[in-house]
Amino acid sequence: MNHQTTPHGAFLMVLLANAGFAFKGIFAKLALASGITLGGMLMLRIALAMPLYWIAARTLTRAAAPLSGRDWRDGLLIGLLFTLATVADFIAIDRLGAGPSRMLLFTYPLMVQLLVAWRARRWPTRRELAVFVVCYGGLALLFAPRGLAGDLGPAGWIGIACGLVSAASYACFLVWVQDTARRIGSARCTALTNTSTFLVFCGYALLGAAPADFAIPVEGFGWVALMVVIATVLPFLLLFEGIRHTGAARASLIALSGPVITLVAAWAILDERLLPLQGLGLVLIIGAIGYLQLGGDALARLVRRLRPSARPDSGRAIR
């Protein structure tokens, strides 16, 4: 039976994927608290994830044609963009802290919009720009209490540069992965792109890892395993499948829910405070994403249904 993915289903896939990704930081913080090093956590994460990626790819694409040399080349090269985004993001977190680095990383939807518009030789639509402005206003409110304080030294400027590199790399990854995902399927594309990350960290394990990176406490192993399943493998599969049906531009805007989910999870699990100003930002982002999903036409139909006294032809004035 051929199951068709509806626009609402694609929206839900991308939203759930970003919810899973949002918990990655929570699991990482719990794992690091157990004594595992950052390098050890990253190596263990990709080592546990790789078999799951390829098992999923094999299970979901049994009848598919074998991967060609072009498929391997494209998947591995596109995966390098994601690896670069990940490494640069962690450097930004180290130099600037979590709040400012998140703000820099989440400039990537604008870069995605510019890339998509450039490829299509068009300007972003007014609706896309409106959603973008409202979402970024909400993000500014969410992270305003964590803004940069004091003068920036060389480390701060390096962190800013790495944050922008991470955002640009991730935007390019989201845009250029679409063609490969459509051609070979989301499951195999996920496995291929993450193989690049695996190979990079194999090189790190052989050439740059410290002995402490290989000292993995049992508790840390458990948190990393949860991170792999809940916040890595399943979200990647959902994200690629959602992007196939909704496109990178809309997926990047839906992904703005990620910081909100992280903030709420940190408040509920790690007892971090949710300030009123951050709550306002949360409302703005959820409202903007709701408008992105419903669209102006759907809102107009809803208004007409809520006006029983209107004449049958009065709906023509609503656009």
Side-chain angles (χ1 to χ4, degrees):
M1 182 180 295
N2 185 22
H3 297 281
Q4 298 293 328
T5 299
T6 66
H8 291 282
F11 176 88
L12 183 60
M13 286 181 184
V14 177
L15 187 61
L16 288 175
N18 283 282
F21 287 136
F23 274 86
K24 180 174 65 177
I26 305 297
F27 289 128
K29 189 169 184 179
L30 294 170
L32 291 170
S34 72
I36 191 174
T37 66
L38 179 60
M41 182 180 66
L42 292 174
M43 288 191 296
L44 179 61
R45 173 174 171 257
I46 192 62
L48 293 177
M50 278 303 300
L52 296 179
Y53 283 134
W54 282 107
I55 289 172
R58 176 63 178 170
T59 302
L60 297 174
T61 59
R62 290 183 182 275
L67 293 172
S68 66
R70 177 194 175 195
D71 297 333
W72 281 94
R73 180 200 66 195
D74 292 351
L76 292 176
L77 289 177
I78 293 170
L80 290 177
L81 286 171
F82 181 77
T83 304
L84 175 61
T86 301
V87 173
D89 183 39
F90 275 106
I91 295 175
I93 292 171
D94 180 56
R95 301 300 177 96
L96 294 176
S101 66
R102 292 306 89 186
M103 288 295 295
L104 285 170
L105 175 63
F106 275 88
T107 60
Y108 80 84
L110 174 59
M111 300 179 187
V112 168
Q113 296 293 333
L114 294 176
L115 283 169
V116 170
W118 172 69
R119 294 183 77 186
R121 292 180 173 86
R122 66 165 179 83
W123 288 99
T125 66
R126 286 181 295 179
R127 181 182 168 206
E128 291 170 340
L129 291 174
V131 170
F132 174 81
V133 169
V134 173
C135 283
Y136 266 84
L139 281 172
L141 293 177
L142 279 171
F143 293 106
R146 303 180 184 179
L148 292 171
D151 297 329
L152 281 173
W157 288 112
I158 292 173
I160 289 175
C162 288
L164 293 174
V165 167
S166 178
S169 300
Y170 190 57
C172 292
F173 167 77
L174 283 177
V175 171
W176 270 281
V177 79
Q178 290 184 89
D179 294 338
T180 303
R182 291 191 183 103
R183 189 173 71 243
I184 67 175
S186 57
R188 292 197 296 181
C189 189
T190 301
L192 273 178
T193 54
N194 279 273
T195 298
S196 287
T197 306
F198 176 76
L199 293 175
V200 168
F201 279 103
C202 282
Y204 172 77
L206 293 173
L207 302 175
D213 292 332
F214 298 98
I216 309 295
V218 175
E219 183 182 355
F221 184 95
W223 287 122
V224 173
L226 286 175
M227 185 199 310
V228 166
V229 175
I230 298 174
T232 304
V233 176
L234 289 178
F236 257 111
L237 295 174
L238 289 170
L239 179 63
F240 276 115
E241 190 63 23
I243 286 177
R244 288 180 61 201
H245 298 278
T246 194
R250 174 171 283 199
S252 68
L253 289 172
I254 299 170
L256 288 169
S257 62
V260 183
I261 297 171
T262 300
L263 187 66
V264 173
W267 169 71
I269 299 172
L270 304 175
D271 295 325
E272 295 182 2
R273 287 181 60 193
L274 183 65
L275 302 177
L277 190 64
Q278 294 171 312
L280 177 58
L282 176 68
V283 171
L284 285 177
I285 293 174
I286 291 176
I289 292 176
Y291 177 76
L292 175 68
Q293 171 65 356
L294 288 174
D297 293 340
L299 290 176
R301 289 194 297 270
L302 180 61
V303 169
R304 288 196 295 269
R305 290 170 185 168
L306 294 176
R307 296 176 60 190
S309 61
R311 296 190 308 272
D313 61 347
S314 64
R316 295 174 186 173
I318 302 175
R319 297 184 184 275

